[in-house]
Amino acid sequence: MTGARGSDDGPSGGANARNRPGTPCWVSLMVHGPTATHSFYGALFGWEFQPGPQQLGPYARALLDGREVAGIGQLPGDRQLPIAWTPYFASDDVNRTAETVRLCGGTLGVGPLDAGEAGRMAIGLDPSGAVFGIWQAAAHLGTAVTGVPGTPVWNELTTFETAGVAKFYETVFGFELAPAAPTDADADADADHVTLRLGGRPVAAIRGVGNALPRYRGPHWTTYFEVADTEESLRRLTELGGHVVEPAHDTPHGRVTTVTDPEGARFALLEPGH
């Protein structure tokens, strides 16, 4: 993890306004068994669920204290999508952004298509094969609360090397690229890490790990969710059928661990430092 959203993102727990293009504005998970998945995340994060747009099949929005934080849907039988949390980046024109994705060497897996009155969306793959979403808001602006336990706090792309793929995201979404400061998790100061910024503010990161990236997984985005107590969250997660992939460890941004849900979707838990 090379950065984290801080107090300059707006008031903690505050409602979102219309997002600047490029802003990570939503996270979504497609699974085989949404009912069991709702139970897992409901018990882990305190989420409740209400129906959302059904363009890709059954889909529900997760609510925390009545405010939208994420989405979970059922994998369509005719689409080959990974069981993984997918970050969505804001766009003022999803058709134009999708065309830029193609021109820059990416591909479109889904859409662009309308999601009812909520907005318009597409799912793309960057040139390395990592999956991400594009969201053009209408009635649904995206995640409505951040900075409290149970909400997404950061997204990071793990890939083979950052140079080419960072240029892709810079061109598609207008990110500013900045070298990430090395952390205690880095083997050396030359670690291949890039922070993606908007208006000088860090919003996401890319980590190049070379051959340390398992070929069977490939490049992928990881969503970090905030928790109040890492150890308690891990105890609850394992009781619910989840698994610990990377033991909890301290970083300059707080205590972090990588886990999976019962269907194998990876995500990270972050207990912010004080």
Side-chain angles (χ1 to χ4, degrees):
M1 184 177 182
T2 57
R5 297 203 301 227
S7 60
D8 55 350
D9 289 308
S12 178
N16 62 336
R18 185 167 294 276
N19 289 292
R20 174 176 176 170
T23 303
C25 61
W26 189 244
V27 290
S28 190
L29 173 65
M30 304 297 284
V31 296
H32 294 295
T35 300
T37 301
H38 294 174
S39 297
F40 172 82
Y41 286 100
L44 182 63
F45 292 140
W47 291 351
E48 298 177 338
F49 295 87
Q50 69 177 19
Q54 306 294 302
Q55 276 66 25
L56 295 181
Y59 190 82
R61 291 179 184 153
L63 309 178
L64 185 65
D65 296 327
R67 303 167 76 185
E68 296 168 338
V69 294
I72 295 177
Q74 183 168 357
L75 277 169
D78 61 343
R79 296 190 187 273
Q80 297 299 313
L81 295 173
I83 299 176
W85 281 101
T86 300
Y88 280 70
F89 300 96
S91 170
D92 285 341
D93 185 334
V94 70
N95 286 31
R96 185 174 66 239
T97 303
E99 182 60 24
T100 306
V101 167
R102 295 188 188 98
L103 291 173
C104 292
T107 58
L108 270 294
V110 176
L113 55 80
D114 289 325
E117 297 179 352
R120 191 163 169 78
M121 57 82 69
I123 297 175
L125 291 83
D126 69 27
S128 74
V131 178
F132 63 94
I134 307 165
W135 182 250
Q136 179 183 338
H140 175 61
L141 298 179
T143 300
V145 57
T146 60
V148 296
T151 63
V153 68
W154 187 248
N155 291 283
E156 185 165 284
L157 172 62
T158 303
T159 188
F160 294 108
E161 55 84 25
T162 64
V165 74
K167 185 65 177 177
F168 168 85
Y169 286 100
E170 177 187 30
T171 304
V172 172
F173 293 112
F175 294 128
E176 305 136 17
L177 307 182
T183 71
D184 57 357
D186 297 331
D188 56 60
D190 296 322
D192 186 16
H193 300 168
V194 173
T195 299
L196 306 179
R197 297 174 179 265
L198 286 175
R201 179 173 63 88
V203 296
I206 303 175
R207 176 187 292 263
V209 297
N211 292 330
L213 181 64
R215 295 279 173 174
Y216 69 87
R217 293 212 65 220
H220 59 277
W221 282 93
T222 300
T223 296
Y224 290 69
F225 293 93
E226 183 170 330
V227 295
D229 185 320
T230 303
E231 303 307 326
E232 173 59 24
S233 295
L234 289 178
R235 183 192 63 77
R236 189 179 309 129
L237 176 134
T238 54
E239 288 179 352
L240 294 167
H243 301 278
V244 178
V245 176
E246 180 182 344
H249 59 282
D250 292 321
T251 76
H253 312 288
R255 193 157 177 78
V256 173
T257 182
T258 303
V259 298
T260 68
D261 67 20
E263 283 209 22
R266 290 196 181 204
F267 58 101
L269 304 177
L270 169 64
E271 179 186 345
H274 299 290

